[in-house]
Amino acid sequence: MALHIFWPASACLTLFVVGVIMIILKYGPRLFQSRHTPLPTQQEWEEKSYSREISISMG
């Protein structure tokens, strides 16, 4: 069987399909307006979190 002839084309097709899937996973809700309430962005998560100073008392 001449499978060795077709592997570059199948590898390119696989990379293309994986790339499209990654783009859909990352930007899908924005592209297709599929989510009614968007997930918070990283900046919104950081604003919601709080920071406390850590004090260590020895003894």
Side-chain angles (χ1 to χ4, degrees), residues 35-54:
R35 188 174 305 217
H36 298 291
T37 56
L39 290 175
T41 61
Q42 182 69 28
Q43 185 178 5
E44 291 171 347
W45 277 113
E46 289 173 0
E47 290 172 359
K48 288 181 182 179
S49 65
Y50 61 93
S51 61
R52 292 177 61 176
E53 291 187 22
I54 298 173

Side-chain angles (χ1 to χ4, degrees), residues 2-3 6 13 16 19 31 33 37 42 47-48 53 56 59:
L3 185 62
F6 299 113
L13 180 65
F16 177 75
L31 293 174
Q33 285 84 28
T37 56
Q42 182 69 28
E47 290 172 359
K48 288 181 182 179
E53 291 187 22
I56 300 173

Side-chain angles (χ1 to χ4, degrees), residues 8-40:
S10 64
C12 289
L13 180 65
T14 303
L15 286 174
F16 177 75
V17 169
V18 168
V20 168
I21 290 171
M22 289 176 64
I23 289 171
I24 288 174
L25 287 174
K26 185 169 177 80
Y27 300 109
R30 285 186 234 160
L31 293 174
F32 306 116
Q33 285 84 28
S34 62
R35 188 174 305 217
H36 298 291
T37 56
L39 290 175

